[in-house]
Amino acid sequence: MILRILTLLLAALVIGCAPLLLDDGQLSLGMEMLVTFVICAMWNVLAGYGGLVSLGHQAWFGIGGYAVFIASNALNVNPLWLLPLAALVPALIALVLTPLLFRLKDAYFAIGSWVLAEVFYILVQRSDALGGITGMPLFTGGMLGASIYAQVFWVAGGLALAVLVLSYLVLRSGFGLGLMSVRDNEVAAASIGVNVRRNRRLVYAVSAAGVGLAGAVYLIPNYFIQPGIAFSADWTVIMTFVVVIGGIGTLEGPILGTLIYFAIRQGVTDGLGLSGSWYLVALGALAVATMLMAPKGLWPILRDRLHLDWLSVRRPWPGRPDRAPHHQAPAE
Amino acid sequence: MSQDVPVLQVSGLRKSFGAITVARDLDLEIRQGECVGVIGPNGAGKSSVFSLIAGVLAADGGRVILDGTDVTRLPAHRRVHHGIGRAFQIPQPFAGLTVYENVLSAACSGAGLRGSAASDWACEVLERTGLARRADTLAGALMLLDRKNLEVAKAVATRAKLLMLDEIGAGLTEREVAFLIERIAALKQDHAIIWIEHIAHALKAVADRIVVLNFGEKVADGPFDAVMSSAVVREIYMGLKEEAGHAA
């Protein structure tokens, strides 16, 4: 536990001091990394712990962004103060839509969530009030001043740390145990008293809220929002690939996956000088290789090799305190 | 809890899927400290009746009263909170969680316990069900006997008043069945038990009464020897034996 708190404090210190040392370009990249971690972590909570594989999570990214842009322009208020809306609006829409969406199971849910995201994309694209396909500017962007990159970096860092800490606490709670029970077996979970429907609705709404926040934080420093970027399916592609590569159903997986993703992206784009989407090809190839050779992702391999147990939410049996928890592969 | 109020009272329970009837005006009563064995040929509707009582299947009619509370309209997870615990015929472990976490989850969600109260209770259940030595093993990696034990352990961990055990002896060796009989006899002290089982000597050893189901209908209800020698049971099982003979 002390190790966890120390690493957390260290991370907070690094995030807090980074803007004093880095230039705007580096801060922008750092913010992007933090935002990427957040959306991947939220997708992982939903898929890896809740058993709900969404292929339409870009919807919440865009809705979070548009919520803040619309409200900030309308009220003439600093967009960062309106960030709570980027969590609230997606969460509420998610809660309203779950009765419909949860009629679909597994692969059908995945496709259904994707269709839903396309519906939002098309609705925004067709809306003249929102600037249609060209998008709309953030008129209040000037309120952020010259230190905008530092501000947004700090917000993204705070969000990333909050997501990590809250995920850990929730997954260690009885609710988290219920969530993982539902993931492993719905009928059996109901048979030990878990309210399957409420449990899943809640985690879906929380996941949507986190992605919405990340979307707004990412889009604000652009001073402009476009449906093609805000609702881009690439966001979900990144979420799935990063989580699959890093290790689905582990809290460390999205951290490792995000680092690998940016190493590949910067390596292919800057290092090899290959422009455009070549880095996505490399990412996809790595994801396929991971699925074939290490279906649980890279973190579980590192964890078992190095005997790390950094953010594991496993509860060791307290009955015999001398015995350390060990990880065993389930029988396939 | 008053001795007069049955732990489970089922009256006029009905359910059919098209032409197939899994429960036909079924009446059933189980009292505190009682173990009722349920037998019947395959397809008699035994497991479906469990699903109706547990609320996993919605009944077409009739009532399910648990310890004096009408739970007919409650969903499955709420019925658990009123005292129903179920061990499935085909074990349904939470494969990605350890044995301890499986039981702890039932202690949290089913019994409504938290923190150390939940973990203490989960540990006690593991000791009682002989699973302590497997506590940190992933449930997906268990052997059959332990999987069956885990089904019972999860049901017990919800603090169930009524335990519904579905063929938890099937596939076990004679030695293992002997252990099972001891364990269920011990569980009778704290739970009313309804047990679907094909292993006759196990039921004879533990069950106070035997209920015979055939095509969703209760065709016999009474002490083991009386039920086993009754004409109706002979007819049902003789019929099966003849068919098996033809098939061989």
Side-chain angles (χ1 to χ4, degrees), chain A residues 70-147:
Chain A
I70 293 167
S72 183
N73 284 344
L75 305 171
N76 201 29
V77 170
N78 184 331
L80 289 182
W81 295 352
L82 293 171
L83 277 178
L85 285 175
L88 269 178
V89 175
L92 288 177
I93 294 177
L95 284 177
V96 169
L97 290 174
T98 43
L100 191 71
L101 203 53
F102 284 180
R103 287 172 168 269
L104 304 170
K105 302 262 179 226
D106 305 323
Y108 300 95
F109 170 82
I111 302 297
S113 61
W114 187 5
V115 170
L116 198 65
E118 289 299 308
V119 169
F120 282 118
Y121 175 35
I122 292 167
L123 282 178
V124 171
Q125 218 182 38
R126 293 284 170 91
S127 160
D128 290 335
L130 301 179
I133 197 161
T134 40
M136 62 188 215
L138 182 66
F139 297 115
T140 53
M143 292 181 180
L144 292 161
S147 65

XYZ file of all heavy atoms in Angstrom, chain A residues 70-147:
582
model
N -20.516 24.162 -26.539
C -21.831 24.807 -26.654
C -22.094 25.678 -25.430
O -22.456 26.857 -25.544
C -22.939 23.743 -26.804
C -22.799 22.999 -28.139
C -24.320 24.390 -26.705
C -23.643 21.741 -28.227
N -21.888 25.091 -24.232
C -22.205 25.818 -23.003
C -21.283 27.019 -22.830
O -21.733 28.112 -22.452
C -22.090 24.882 -21.805
N -20.017 26.845 -23.124
C -19.068 27.934 -22.934
C -19.390 29.103 -23.863
O -19.369 30.265 -23.441
C -17.647 27.414 -23.175
O -16.705 28.438 -22.937
N -19.697 28.796 -25.127
C -20.061 29.852 -26.075
C -21.351 30.547 -25.662
O -21.467 31.771 -25.737
C -20.226 29.270 -27.487
C -18.875 28.979 -28.134
O -17.845 29.472 -27.669
N -18.897 28.177 -29.177
N -22.327 29.762 -25.212
C -23.640 30.324 -24.876
C -23.569 31.172 -23.619
O -24.183 32.233 -23.536
C -24.652 29.196 -24.697
N -22.805 30.736 -22.616
C -22.782 31.432 -21.332
C -21.624 32.411 -21.225
O -21.549 33.169 -20.266
C -22.679 30.407 -20.187
C -23.745 29.317 -20.156
C -23.394 28.256 -19.121
C -25.108 29.931 -19.839
N -20.710 32.356 -22.209
C -19.515 33.189 -22.175
C -18.726 32.973 -20.885
O -18.378 33.921 -20.175
C -19.894 34.676 -22.342
C -18.698 35.494 -22.812
O -17.815 34.976 -23.489
N -18.660 36.755 -22.428
N -18.483 31.708 -20.591
C -17.783 31.323 -19.367
C -16.534 30.529 -19.752
O -16.543 29.806 -20.746
C -18.706 30.459 -18.476
C -17.932 29.846 -17.305
C -19.874 31.283 -17.962
N -15.470 30.668 -18.973
C -14.237 29.905 -19.164
C -14.569 28.417 -19.330
O -15.187 27.817 -18.461
C -13.348 30.116 -17.928
C -11.991 29.434 -18.074
O -11.853 28.434 -18.760
N -10.998 30.001 -17.406
N -14.154 27.797 -20.444
C -14.562 26.413 -20.716
C -14.092 25.420 -19.653
O -14.758 24.419 -19.412
C -13.919 26.109 -22.076
C -12.888 27.157 -22.283
C -13.349 28.359 -21.553
N -12.961 25.717 -18.997
C -12.472 24.764 -17.998
C -13.418 24.676 -16.795
O -13.527 23.641 -16.155
C -11.055 25.146 -17.532
C -9.940 24.943 -18.555
C -8.586 25.307 -17.952
C -9.916 23.525 -19.089
N -14.107 25.800 -16.505
C -15.053 25.758 -15.395
C -16.275 24.924 -15.735
O -17.039 24.540 -14.854
C -15.507 27.183 -15.015
C -14.392 28.026 -14.480
C -13.126 27.616 -14.177
C -14.430 29.422 -14.189
N -12.369 28.665 -13.732
C -13.148 29.794 -13.720
C -15.422 30.396 -14.274
C -12.829 31.098 -13.342
C -15.120 31.700 -13.898
C -13.833 32.048 -13.445
N -16.498 24.721 -17.012
C -17.705 23.994 -17.424
C -17.420 22.507 -17.646
O -18.279 21.771 -18.111
C -18.267 24.609 -18.716
C -18.809 26.032 -18.530
C -19.128 26.653 -19.877
C -20.054 26.031 -17.649
N -16.201 22.064 -17.284
C -15.852 20.655 -17.494
C -16.816 19.666 -16.836
O -17.033 18.587 -17.381
C -14.417 20.392 -17.027
C -13.334 20.750 -18.048
C -11.954 20.504 -17.464
C -13.501 19.943 -19.329
N -17.395 20.009 -15.671
C -18.354 19.041 -15.100
C -19.437 18.628 -16.106
O -19.905 17.489 -16.070
C -18.944 19.791 -13.914
C -17.857 20.704 -13.478
C -17.138 21.126 -14.739
N -19.789 19.567 -17.001
C -20.797 19.231 -18.011
C -20.306 18.113 -18.932
O -21.108 17.302 -19.414
C -21.128 20.456 -18.866
C -22.004 21.518 -18.219
C -22.141 22.708 -19.157
C -23.374 20.942 -17.895
N -18.982 18.085 -19.184
C -18.426 17.067 -20.077
C -18.545 15.679 -19.464
O -18.449 14.673 -20.162
C -16.966 17.374 -20.384
N -18.737 15.616 -18.140
C -18.977 14.325 -17.490
C -20.480 14.059 -17.374
O -20.958 12.961 -17.645
C -18.338 14.305 -16.109
N -21.208 15.120 -16.962
C -22.644 14.958 -16.691
C -23.456 14.610 -17.928
O -24.275 13.696 -17.903
C -23.199 16.252 -16.088
C -23.189 16.357 -14.575
C -23.709 17.711 -14.135
C -24.051 15.242 -13.979
N -23.234 15.369 -19.018
C -24.067 15.175 -20.213
C -23.900 13.755 -20.782
O -24.895 13.056 -20.992
C -23.780 16.269 -21.269
C -24.545 15.993 -22.553
C -24.151 17.640 -20.704
N -22.655 13.287 -21.003
C -22.528 11.906 -21.481
C -23.130 10.884 -20.509
O -23.779 9.929 -20.938
C -21.014 11.701 -21.593
C -20.450 13.054 -21.738
C -21.345 13.957 -20.932
N -22.928 11.090 -19.194
C -23.454 10.127 -18.227
C -24.976 10.053 -18.302
O -25.556 8.969 -18.296
C -23.012 10.505 -16.815
N -25.617 11.232 -18.390
C -27.083 11.244 -18.445
C -27.590 10.596 -19.731
O -28.518 9.787 -19.705
C -27.613 12.680 -18.322
C -27.477 13.280 -16.931
C -27.950 14.737 -16.922
C -28.275 12.460 -15.914
N -26.972 10.951 -20.859
C -27.392 10.348 -22.132
C -27.183 8.833 -22.076
O -28.039 8.054 -22.504
C -26.617 10.977 -23.313
C -27.003 12.451 -23.457
C -26.917 10.227 -24.609
C -26.236 13.190 -24.546
N -26.049 8.418 -21.488
C -25.773 6.980 -21.372
C -26.851 6.295 -20.533
O -27.362 5.238 -20.899
C -24.396 6.757 -20.752
N -27.234 6.928 -19.412
C -28.253 6.327 -18.545
C -29.589 6.198 -19.270
O -30.301 5.210 -19.117
C -28.427 7.165 -17.267
C -27.336 7.011 -16.230
C -27.585 7.942 -15.048
C -27.243 5.566 -15.738
N -29.916 7.224 -20.073
C -31.191 7.189 -20.802
C -31.170 6.090 -21.861
O -32.175 5.418 -22.095
C -31.470 8.566 -21.455
C -32.642 8.480 -22.420
C -31.741 9.612 -20.377
N -30.013 5.882 -22.487
C -29.948 4.941 -23.610
C -29.730 3.484 -23.197
O -30.007 2.574 -23.974
C -28.836 5.357 -24.572
C -29.120 6.627 -25.367
C -27.902 7.024 -26.184
C -30.326 6.433 -26.282
N -29.241 3.255 -21.968
C -28.918 1.871 -21.597
C -30.107 0.908 -21.676
O -29.903 -0.234 -22.086
C -28.279 1.769 -20.199
O -28.973 2.603 -19.305
C -26.814 2.133 -20.272
N -31.332 1.309 -21.285
C -32.414 0.319 -21.386
C -32.540 -0.246 -22.805
O -32.847 -1.418 -22.986
C -33.656 1.116 -20.993
C -33.147 2.216 -20.135
C -31.804 2.565 -20.695
N -32.269 0.612 -23.795
C -32.333 0.181 -25.186
C -31.084 -0.635 -25.545
O -31.166 -1.743 -26.073
C -32.427 1.421 -26.071
C -32.766 1.215 -27.532
C -34.202 0.788 -27.684
C -32.523 2.511 -28.300
N -29.929 -0.064 -25.212
C -28.648 -0.649 -25.616
C -28.407 -2.011 -24.959
O -27.860 -2.921 -25.573
C -27.530 0.323 -25.237
C -26.211 0.222 -25.990
C -26.423 0.269 -27.480
C -25.284 1.340 -25.544
N -28.846 -2.161 -23.706
C -28.565 -3.398 -22.972
C -29.474 -4.550 -23.391
O -29.344 -5.664 -22.886
C -28.658 -3.167 -21.463
C -27.463 -2.447 -20.902
C -27.384 -2.147 -19.552
C -26.409 -2.074 -21.729
C -26.291 -1.481 -19.042
C -25.310 -1.409 -21.218
C -25.260 -1.110 -19.868
N -30.410 -4.262 -24.314
C -31.172 -5.379 -24.874
C -30.261 -6.213 -25.762
O -30.546 -7.367 -26.058
C -32.349 -4.872 -25.702
C -33.454 -4.327 -24.836
C -34.532 -3.662 -25.659
N -35.673 -3.419 -24.823
C -36.669 -4.288 -24.673
N -36.657 -5.416 -25.344
N -37.669 -4.024 -23.867
N -29.174 -5.593 -26.199
C -28.216 -6.300 -27.054
C -27.108 -6.887 -26.186
O -26.642 -6.252 -25.249
C -27.606 -5.332 -28.065
C -28.613 -4.591 -28.943
C -27.924 -3.489 -29.729
C -29.306 -5.553 -29.877
N -26.697 -8.112 -26.529
C -25.668 -8.786 -25.731
C -24.393 -8.964 -26.552
O -24.440 -9.142 -27.770
C -26.153 -10.178 -25.306
C -27.431 -10.158 -24.501
C -27.151 -10.238 -23.018
C -28.448 -10.187 -22.228
N -28.414 -9.280 -21.100
N -23.276 -8.933 -25.837
C -21.968 -9.307 -26.398
C -21.660 -8.610 -27.726
O -21.600 -7.406 -27.780
C -21.878 -10.829 -26.533
C -22.161 -11.516 -25.204
O -21.742 -10.965 -24.175
O -22.805 -12.570 -25.204
N -21.488 -9.412 -28.794
C -21.108 -8.840 -30.091
C -22.189 -7.880 -30.591
O -21.888 -6.857 -31.206
C -20.875 -9.947 -31.110
N -23.450 -8.183 -30.279
C -24.541 -7.318 -30.724
C -24.482 -5.978 -30.002
O -24.752 -4.930 -30.567
C -25.888 -7.999 -30.488
C -25.999 -9.306 -31.227
C -25.704 -10.513 -30.596
C -26.353 -9.325 -32.568
C -25.771 -11.706 -31.274
C -26.424 -10.519 -33.264
C -26.133 -11.711 -32.612
O -26.193 -12.889 -33.294
N -24.093 -6.043 -28.719
C -23.909 -4.802 -27.961
C -22.792 -3.978 -28.581
O -22.915 -2.756 -28.739
C -23.595 -5.125 -26.500
C -23.152 -3.923 -25.704
C -24.078 -3.040 -25.172
C -21.800 -3.662 -25.509
C -23.672 -1.920 -24.469
C -21.386 -2.547 -24.797
C -22.324 -1.683 -24.280
N -21.701 -4.642 -28.936
C -20.550 -3.942 -29.521
C -20.978 -3.204 -30.794
O -20.697 -2.016 -30.970
C -19.415 -4.930 -29.817
N -21.697 -3.914 -31.658
C -22.138 -3.308 -32.913
C -23.177 -2.217 -32.633
O -23.141 -1.132 -33.221
C -22.732 -4.378 -33.858
C -21.703 -5.471 -34.151
C -23.230 -3.744 -35.145
C -20.471 -5.016 -34.862
N -24.088 -2.501 -31.706
C -25.129 -1.528 -31.356
C -24.524 -0.227 -30.858
O -24.974 0.870 -31.224
N -23.486 -0.337 -30.032
C -22.868 0.875 -29.490
C -22.179 1.656 -30.614
O -22.171 2.898 -30.614
C -21.870 0.511 -28.388
O -20.829 -0.296 -28.894
N -21.645 0.949 -31.574
C -21.006 1.584 -32.724
C -22.055 2.346 -33.556
O -21.855 3.510 -33.918
C -20.312 0.514 -33.566
C -19.468 1.011 -34.690
C -19.169 2.313 -34.989
C -18.821 0.215 -35.678
N -18.374 2.375 -36.088
C -18.144 1.096 -36.536
C -18.746 -1.162 -35.912
C -17.405 0.639 -37.625
C -18.006 -1.614 -36.991
C -17.340 -0.703 -37.836
N -23.180 1.676 -33.812
C -24.263 2.311 -34.576
C -24.728 3.580 -33.860
O -24.924 4.635 -34.475
C -25.436 1.329 -34.762
C -26.654 2.048 -35.327
C -25.015 0.174 -35.658
N -24.853 3.468 -32.537
C -25.276 4.611 -31.737
C -24.314 5.788 -31.918
O -24.734 6.940 -32.085
C -25.309 4.184 -30.273
C -26.100 5.061 -29.318
C -27.563 5.017 -29.672
C -25.881 4.577 -27.895
N -23.015 5.486 -31.884
C -22.011 6.537 -32.052
C -22.146 7.187 -33.427
O -22.031 8.417 -33.560
C -20.604 5.958 -31.874
N -22.413 6.387 -34.445
C -22.595 6.936 -35.797
C -23.818 7.835 -35.850
O -23.834 8.857 -36.541
C -22.717 5.793 -36.815
C -21.413 5.046 -37.073
C -20.316 5.956 -37.637
O -20.573 6.655 -38.641
O -19.218 5.984 -37.061
N -24.872 7.442 -35.106
C -26.089 8.258 -35.072
C -25.770 9.644 -34.512
O -26.167 10.666 -35.080
C -27.193 7.567 -34.238
C -28.351 8.530 -33.986
C -27.688 6.314 -34.949
N -25.024 9.674 -33.410
C -24.656 10.973 -32.823
C -23.810 11.781 -33.808
O -24.013 12.990 -33.972
C -23.874 10.769 -31.519
C -24.743 10.429 -30.353
C -24.610 9.218 -29.687
C -25.714 11.320 -29.908
C -25.424 8.908 -28.620
C -26.527 11.017 -28.835
C -26.380 9.797 -28.193
N -22.887 11.116 -34.447
C -22.000 11.775 -35.404
C -22.826 12.420 -36.509
O -22.657 13.609 -36.831
C -21.027 10.723 -35.967
C -20.110 11.197 -37.064
C -19.594 12.494 -37.067
C -19.726 10.338 -38.091
C -18.734 12.916 -38.069
C -18.870 10.753 -39.097
C -18.383 12.045 -39.088
O -17.535 12.459 -40.077
N -23.766 11.656 -37.066
C -24.572 12.170 -38.179
C -25.488 13.301 -37.709
O -25.645 14.314 -38.387
C -25.371 11.011 -38.816
C -24.394 10.053 -39.513
C -26.402 11.533 -39.804
C -25.002 8.733 -39.911
N -26.054 13.139 -36.500
C -26.934 14.188 -35.970
C -26.185 15.515 -35.853
O -26.695 16.572 -36.243
C -27.487 13.787 -34.599
C -28.642 12.792 -34.591
C -29.032 12.460 -33.157
C -29.846 13.365 -35.346
N -24.970 15.462 -35.316
C -24.182 16.688 -35.141
C -23.775 17.255 -36.495
O -23.847 18.467 -36.735
C -22.940 16.401 -34.267
C -21.990 17.597 -34.262
C -23.359 16.063 -32.850
N -23.383 16.358 -37.393
C -22.965 16.762 -38.735
C -24.086 17.486 -39.487
O -23.839 18.394 -40.271
C -22.580 15.493 -39.494
C -21.419 15.631 -40.395
C -21.166 14.323 -41.124
O -22.101 13.627 -41.516
N -19.913 13.993 -41.294
N -25.329 17.050 -39.224
C -26.481 17.620 -39.928
C -27.027 18.859 -39.230
O -27.952 19.481 -39.735
C -27.615 16.577 -40.012
C -27.307 15.396 -40.873
C -27.408 15.782 -42.337
N -26.887 14.750 -43.200
C -27.615 13.766 -43.712
N -28.894 13.698 -43.425
N -27.067 12.876 -44.488
N -26.503 19.170 -38.038
C -27.074 20.273 -37.275
C -26.399 21.598 -37.657
O -25.211 21.800 -37.421
C -26.878 20.007 -35.777
O -26.989 21.221 -35.077
N -27.189 22.490 -38.246
C -26.647 23.792 -38.641
C -26.260 24.618 -37.414
O -25.279 25.357 -37.431
C -27.679 24.552 -39.481
C -27.848 23.899 -40.852
O -26.885 23.231 -41.293
O -28.929 24.030 -41.449
N -27.029 24.488 -36.339
C -26.751 25.252 -35.123
C -25.362 24.921 -34.583
O -24.722 25.766 -33.954
C -27.814 24.959 -34.073
N -24.888 23.704 -34.813
C -23.577 23.290 -34.305
C -22.486 23.434 -35.367
O -21.382 22.927 -35.202
C -23.633 21.843 -33.810
C -24.634 21.559 -32.693
C -24.609 20.091 -32.315
C -24.334 22.413 -31.467
N -22.833 24.098 -36.467
C -21.821 24.318 -37.492
C -21.684 23.174 -38.477
O -20.791 23.188 -39.323
N -22.551 22.187 -38.350
C -22.553 21.077 -39.294
C -21.208 20.412 -39.430
O -20.476 20.243 -38.441
N -20.869 20.087 -40.681
C -19.677 19.282 -40.916
C -18.384 20.071 -40.682
O -17.344 19.513 -40.353
C -19.735 18.697 -42.344
C -18.753 17.527 -42.493
C -19.474 19.764 -43.395
C -19.091 16.646 -43.670
N -18.464 21.415 -40.805
C -17.256 22.212 -40.591
C -16.960 22.431 -39.113
O -15.838 22.741 -38.751
C -17.376 23.595 -41.256
O -18.698 24.071 -41.053
C -17.020 23.550 -42.716
N -17.958 22.283 -38.268
C -17.730 22.439 -36.842
C -17.898 23.863 -36.357
O -18.418 24.727 -37.085
N -17.451 24.123 -35.136
C -17.610 25.478 -34.599
C -16.430 25.875 -33.715
O -15.786 25.041 -33.089
C -18.914 25.577 -33.816
C -18.980 24.665 -32.614
S -20.649 24.738 -31.948
C -20.358 24.597 -30.230
N -16.155 27.175 -33.650
C -15.039 27.642 -32.827
C -15.436 27.779 -31.357
O -16.614 27.813 -31.025
C -14.726 29.015 -33.410
C -15.996 29.473 -34.032
C -16.804 28.261 -34.380
N -14.405 27.865 -30.529
C -14.626 28.140 -29.109
C -14.353 29.627 -28.913
O -13.209 30.054 -28.835
C -13.674 27.286 -28.264
C -13.800 27.397 -26.742
C -15.134 26.854 -26.262
C -12.672 26.634 -26.058
N -15.421 30.431 -28.837
C -15.248 31.886 -28.772
C -14.608 32.319 -27.460
O -14.020 33.385 -27.364
C -16.596 32.589 -28.956
C -17.193 32.331 -30.309
C -18.381 31.622 -30.448
C -16.562 32.802 -31.456
C -18.921 31.374 -31.690
C -17.102 32.562 -32.702
C -18.287 31.857 -32.831
N -14.751 31.487 -26.436
C -14.238 31.866 -25.115
C -12.793 31.411 -24.903
O -12.275 31.518 -23.798
C -15.116 31.226 -24.026
O -15.196 29.818 -24.301
C -16.511 31.806 -24.028
N -12.178 30.859 -25.959
C -10.821 30.323 -25.827
C -9.843 31.340 -25.274
O -8.938 30.993 -24.513
N -10.024 32.616 -25.603
C -9.116 33.662 -25.152
C -9.054 33.795 -23.645
O -8.055 34.262 -23.092
N -10.122 33.374 -22.957
C -10.160 33.497 -21.497
C -9.073 32.672 -20.821
O -8.756 32.886 -19.657
C -11.516 33.006 -20.961
C -12.680 33.890 -21.333
S -14.186 33.223 -20.628
C -15.371 34.423 -21.213
N -8.543 31.683 -21.532
C -7.557 30.797 -20.923
C -6.176 31.418 -20.890
O -5.305 30.969 -20.147
C -7.512 29.472 -21.684
C -8.787 28.642 -21.534
C -8.889 27.601 -22.618
C -8.836 27.993 -20.169
N -5.957 32.443 -21.725
C -4.678 33.141 -21.694
C -3.548 32.343 -22.304
O -3.746 31.298 -22.941
N -2.333 32.820 -22.066
C -1.158 32.238 -22.714
C -0.761 30.902 -22.104
O -0.137 30.074 -22.758
C 0.016 33.205 -22.623
N -1.125 30.670 -20.835
C -0.686 29.445 -20.163
C -1.652 28.284 -20.412
O -1.718 27.341 -19.638
C -0.560 29.684 -18.663
O -1.844 29.961 -18.127
